[in-house]
């Protein structure tokens, strides 16, 4: 199923969309300064690998911290990221990031928030806002169209049965942009950097 997620993000532009925000943040930094990114809920590091490949191609120093709570997933990440010394793996909860205030340039949560309950989403967003000057949220849209497209894609592309089940379920669990904005403003902080 992790292979399926990597394929879908590459094929349908999830990586490109998130990376475009990181490129904008990097453009505001001095050329030789290392860009520091934290990927919250980063799984086995597939997106982190994309960030490092982009940075290497551009000659940009980079450090990507992959934070995930699951030890087995991080073990898969160790194998996946072995050729990328720019990537560090950290086992931690999204609601308690082990980072200094403004310790990173960009905090990313890509396809992570829909796995969290409301309280954890609020905690995660607050932690990301404290850790970074820019937080990038890229998640599923909870719409009838998204549900239909995800259902079709998981079957037409003959993805793993777990992906066929989890894909539509993830769309149903996704938060709307309005819900996230309300959480940010009501529960975390008034002036959102998202």
């Amino acid at each position: 199923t992790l292979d399926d997620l990597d394929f879908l993000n590459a094929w349908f532009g999830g990586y490109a969309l998130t990376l475009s925000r990181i490129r904008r943040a990097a453009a505001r930094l001095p050329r030789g300064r290392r860009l520091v990114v934290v990927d919250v809920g980063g799984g086995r590091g597939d997106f982190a690998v994309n960030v490092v490949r982009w940075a290497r191609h551009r000659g940009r120093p980079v450090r990507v911290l992959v934070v995930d709570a699951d030890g087995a997933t991080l073990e898969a990440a160790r194998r996946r990221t072995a050729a990328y010394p720019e990537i560090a793996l950290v086992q931690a909860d999204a609601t308690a990031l082990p980072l200094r205030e403004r310790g990173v340039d960009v905090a990313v949560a890509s396809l992570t928030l829909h796995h969290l309950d409301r309280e954890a989403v609020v905690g995660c967003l607050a932690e990301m806002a404290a850790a970074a000057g820019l937080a990038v949220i890229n998640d599923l849209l909870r719409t009838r169209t998204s549900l239909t497209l995800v259902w079709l894609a998981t079957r037409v592309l003959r993805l793993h049965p777990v992906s066929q089940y989890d894909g539509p379920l993830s769309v149903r669990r996704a938060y709307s942009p309005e819900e996230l904005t309300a959480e940010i403003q009501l529960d975390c902080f008034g002036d959102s950097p998202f």
Side-chain angles (χ1 to χ4, degrees), residues 26-194:
R28 292 188 289 250
L29 298 176
R31 179 86 174 114
R33 184 177 168 283
R34 181 170 67 173
L35 174 70
V36 181
V37 178
V38 62
D39 186 4
V40 179
R44 71 176 185 181
D46 294 310
F47 179 68
V49 167
N50 279 270
V51 173
V52 171
R53 286 178 179 162
W54 162 79
R56 286 178 178 179
H57 180 73
R58 297 280 187 247
R60 159 72 70 182
V62 69
R63 181 68 161 170
V64 183
L65 309 171
V66 175
V67 175
D68 205 281
D70 185 66
T73 302
L74 284 176
E75 187 54 41
R78 277 185 231 316
R79 292 187 298 275
R80 174 77 171 103
T81 63
Y84 302 92
E86 300 95 332
I87 299 172
L89 308 175
V90 180
Q91 186 168 1
D93 190 270
T95 63
L97 298 177
L99 302 169
R100 293 183 287 112
E101 186 171 334
R102 296 293 186 254
V104 300
D105 299 303
V106 182
V108 173
S110 183
L111 299 178
T112 299
L113 296 186
H114 68 268
H115 292 286
L116 306 176
D117 64 30
R118 177 190 180 279
E119 185 177 321
V121 167
V122 171
C124 177
L125 294 174
E127 288 287 306
M128 290 173 67
L134 173 68
V136 178
I137 309 299
N138 183 359
D139 215 311
L140 298 166
L141 289 175
R142 190 181 66 228
T143 65
R144 196 174 303 243
T145 301
S146 295
L147 181 60
T148 301
L149 291 173
V150 167
W151 188 90
L152 283 171
T154 58
R155 278 134 183 95
V156 169
L157 298 173
R158 300 180 187 264
L159 300 185
H160 191 277
V162 171
S163 298
Q164 290 179 0
Y165 174 80
D166 186 60
L169 178 63
S170 292
V171 171
R172 289 184 188 103
R173 290 185 50 128
Y175 295 92
S176 71
E178 297 78 20
E179 289 168 333
L180 291 178
T181 301
E183 296 301 340
I184 293 166
Q185 291 176 349
L186 294 176
D187 292 346
C188 300
F189 35 82
D191 187 23
S192 170
F194 296 92

